[in-house]
Structure formats: structure tokens, C-alpha cells
Amino acid sequence: MKLSETPAVVSPEPSWNTTDLLQYRLRESPDLALFGLPDGDRWRDVSVKEFHAKVNDLAKGFVAAGVEVGERVAFLAKTNYEWTLVDFALWYAGAVMVPVYETSSSAQIEWILEDSEAVGIISELPEHDDKLDEIADTVSS
């Protein structure tokens, strides 16, 4: 077997968490593209600064909506840019995302919500809401 190694761009800092990585990137290269999003037949860059601003705005919205430090909030969606945005915003608000994949059945969603003790759930599409409607009377979130 052939072994190959690539040195880390940023040295690991044991005391950092994921939000620290975004803060570091914001200090070091705020205008660099962090994401590329499809925009018609082209791609649009999202800079570190733009992503950070969206994360902060959404985190403030979560706090204003009553999400408290340590709480878990479920997110039923496709894995995409918005997934990352919501994940970071919940971390910035002090909460934790409970991932629920769009392929999950209603029974699986019910178990995930109850087991995680999520205080709420965010869904992306109307068909996701249909799955949630099926279990609305049986979950406490």
C-alpha cells in the first residue's frame, strides 16, 4: 500500500471548537471563498465574511426565538449549504443540531426527536412537513 500525507494548512489547537475555526478563518482571510453555490448556470462564491454574517444573523434569530444554551434543535433537510449554515448558527447560539436526513421515515424521525430530546425541529420542504404531520400527535417537541 502506498502512503501519502498532506500537511495541515492550520495547525490543530486542542482548545478550539468548530466555531473557533470559522473565527480564525474570518481573521486570516475574510474575503476568500468558503463555499461555491449554484446560481443559474454559474457558481457564486460565498466569502468567509458573508458566511459569518449569515451565521450571526441566524444565531441571533435562534436566540430571539427562545433557543437556549445546551438545547438540541432538529433539522430535517437535504444535505446542502443551508445545512452547514444552520449547524454553525446553532453552535453560535450555544445549541446543538440534531440531524434528520430527508430519507428518514416518520417512525425514524419520531425516534430521533424523542431520543435526542430536541426542543423543536426545522424542516426545509413541504414534503418534510408532511412526514412531521404524521407524527405531530406523538412527539413532545
Side-chain angles (χ1 to χ4, degrees):
M1 172 170 42
K2 185 177 180 180
L3 177 65
S4 102
E5 293 182 28
T6 304
V9 175
V10 177
S11 297
E13 177 61 49
S15 64
W16 281 8
N17 63 37
T18 308
T19 58
D20 293 320
L21 295 174
L22 181 56
Q23 292 299 130
Y24 173 84
R25 186 58 43 218
L26 182 66
R27 280 191 312 274
E28 297 297 315
S29 53
D31 297 318
L32 281 181
L34 190 58
F35 295 95
L37 300 180
D39 186 11
D41 60 349
R42 307 179 78 192
W43 288 85
R44 180 181 71 78
D45 287 342
V46 177
S47 70
V48 175
K49 182 171 36 181
E50 181 184 351
F51 179 70
H52 181 264
K54 289 179 184 287
V55 165
N56 268 336
D57 289 346
L58 189 52
K60 289 175 186 177
F62 286 138
V63 171
V67 174
E68 296 184 12
V69 172
E71 288 185 324
R72 290 161 299 284
V73 177
F75 187 51
L76 172 57
K78 297 178 180 180
T79 51
N80 54 23
Y81 168 77
E82 289 76 17
W83 187 291
T84 306
L85 181 64
V86 169
D87 213 3
F88 269 87
L90 285 168
W91 289 333
Y92 269 57
V96 178
M97 179 202 280
V98 176
V100 182
Y101 297 103
E102 67 170 339
T103 55
S104 298
S105 68
S106 296
Q108 289 171 318
I109 295 169
E110 180 179 6
W111 185 86
I112 291 167
L113 293 176
E114 291 297 328
D115 185 63
S116 69
E117 298 178 355
V119 297
I121 185 165
I122 303 164
S123 61
E124 179 185 18
L125 300 171
E127 48 267 30
H128 300 153
D129 293 340
D130 293 342
K131 288 183 181 181
L132 295 175
D133 288 343
E134 292 176 27
I135 61 169
D137 294 335
T138 60
V139 294
S140 56
S141 296

